[in-house]
Amino acid sequence: MVPYFPKQFSSRAIIIYIISLAIVSVVFMNYMLKPAFIIISIIWVLLFFLLSNRYSKKWLEIDEKTFIRKIFLTALVLRLIWVVFSYFFYLINTGIPFEFGSSDALAYHQTAIWLKEIGWSNAMDYLFTGSYSDAGYPLYLTLLYSIIGPNILVTRILKTIFSSWTCILVYKLAKRNFGEEAGRIAGIFCVLCPNLVIYCGMHLKETEMIFLTMAALERLDNILRQKHVNILNIVVSALLVISLFFFRTVLGAAVIFSFFTSLVFSSTAVMTKSNRMVLIIWAVIAVAVMAGGTIANEVEGYWESRGSNQDLKRSQQVNKGVEWAKYATGTVMAPMIFVLPFPTMVDVDEQYNQQMVNAGNYVRNFMGIFVLIALYSAIFKKKNWRDFSLIGAFVMAYLGIISTSGFANSERFLLPGFPILLMIAAYGITQLNAKNYRFVKIWFLILPVMIMAWAFFKLGSRGLS
């Protein structure tokens, strides 16, 4: 068992990234990333891989309370630095303290200001007439602005707290499912994950949404493993799950699906027979209560429209000259969902936000092989996949739905599954041995090829290469 993130992996990851970036920049020199994005991306890659190795070794033997305090404070400091930096970075580059092309973020901000001004009665009518799936974040911002005013920086500072708390939830959930070593590696990965940090500096709902998702999964996992049913825990878990439907319908549906899956498949080592029956009855009643409402209609509507959404998205991309998009069907995208999206290392279509997060996408690509090793170990080697059915079912359900929609390569839509993939990757690292390490070495050769191929397709499909 490998109890930490090895230095040879961190060194190799950095080398592969820098070489890939250099080759792409030279081959497609006319579309090279702006110097600011190159510098930011390299710093993120160095921070993630060097500190993942350092902290996973240094914090291996400290007690749990100290470890939790360290990951929270480290995550908080890192995120606070980024929030302050990005505030002025965006202000200088866009003229406003919002990310590039900030249509959604700016709309959330302006909507919250407007809702605060029109009064709560009118605000509730506006938010909860029709669809609920995007009402949660404007409601949260309106509540917050009613207390602190439309303060952009304070709002993002609160995001750093939610994101840092998420790291603790990841550690606890991974520890229960995969063991202490994997839990600590996963927690550290979450602390240093570039995309999770970068979103703290954006006025989007992803940070809060991921926090609620991880909190719901962590509490549900706790319920499954308790010897006796705790009513308060059930109520808190139910509220967390319900809250997800007000941020993204698919997330709430995926969490419910994962809970039912774990009720059916979890072994007796995880859940007692008496608890299983009580929780199944409770879950059935809860779903029955929701079945006739607006939320259930939204879930059904999203599922029924997933194919048409994907067709429409592909058609729009093809019309814009992105010829490869016509092949991006669910059948093609689903097998790659554990490593998507690929990093954008070329300057095309003013996709500056994608260029900003390319280091985080690279982390996801690099960790893909460890996710596959973890899945192989759980399903075929140790055959203990039933003990991980909650988080396994969630990530399969959520990413599976996204892969059959029009957002299979959308970094924002894939992001909520990232913390779970980091957990699974951490478990895969602890399962490394001489036999499966050969697949890691092969992956190190495949990875730069995929990165360069993606740059070629992004430009070539637009007739720019």
Side-chain angles (χ1 to χ4, degrees), residues 382-458:
K382 292 193 172 183
K383 298 182 179 180
N384 56 351
W385 61 270
R386 294 174 60 185
D387 296 340
F388 317 139
S389 55
L390 178 73
I391 61 175
F394 168 77
V395 76
M396 293 285 189
Y398 180 72
L399 295 182
I401 293 171
I402 296 301
S403 72
T404 60
S405 72
F407 306 98
N409 196 49
S410 171
E411 185 269 339
R412 272 184 67 187
F413 277 81
L414 292 170
L415 189 63
F418 203 177
I420 300 294
L421 292 179
L422 289 176
M423 287 187 216
I424 299 173
Y427 176 64
I429 289 168
T430 64
Q431 300 305 302
L432 284 173
N433 53 43
K435 187 175 181 179
N436 57 33
Y437 179 61
R438 70 179 186 272
F439 297 111
V440 177
K441 291 190 289 187
I442 294 173
W443 188 254
F444 289 164
L445 298 175
I446 294 174
L447 188 55
V449 175
M450 292 193 301
I451 292 171
M452 288 182 280
W454 179 244
F456 174 79
F457 281 123
K458 281 189 78 75

Side-chain angles (χ1 to χ4, degrees), residues 11 29 73 77 89 105 113-114 145 150 164 240 251 263 269 294 296 304 309 343 364 366 398 414 423 455:
S11 300
M29 188 172 295
L73 291 177
V77 170
F89 179 81
I113 294 174
W114 174 66
Y145 287 1
S164 301
L240 287 168
L251 274 175
L263 285 176
T294 303
E304 290 179 348
N309 286 341
R364 184 173 182 137
F366 186 86
Y398 180 72
L414 292 170
M423 287 187 216

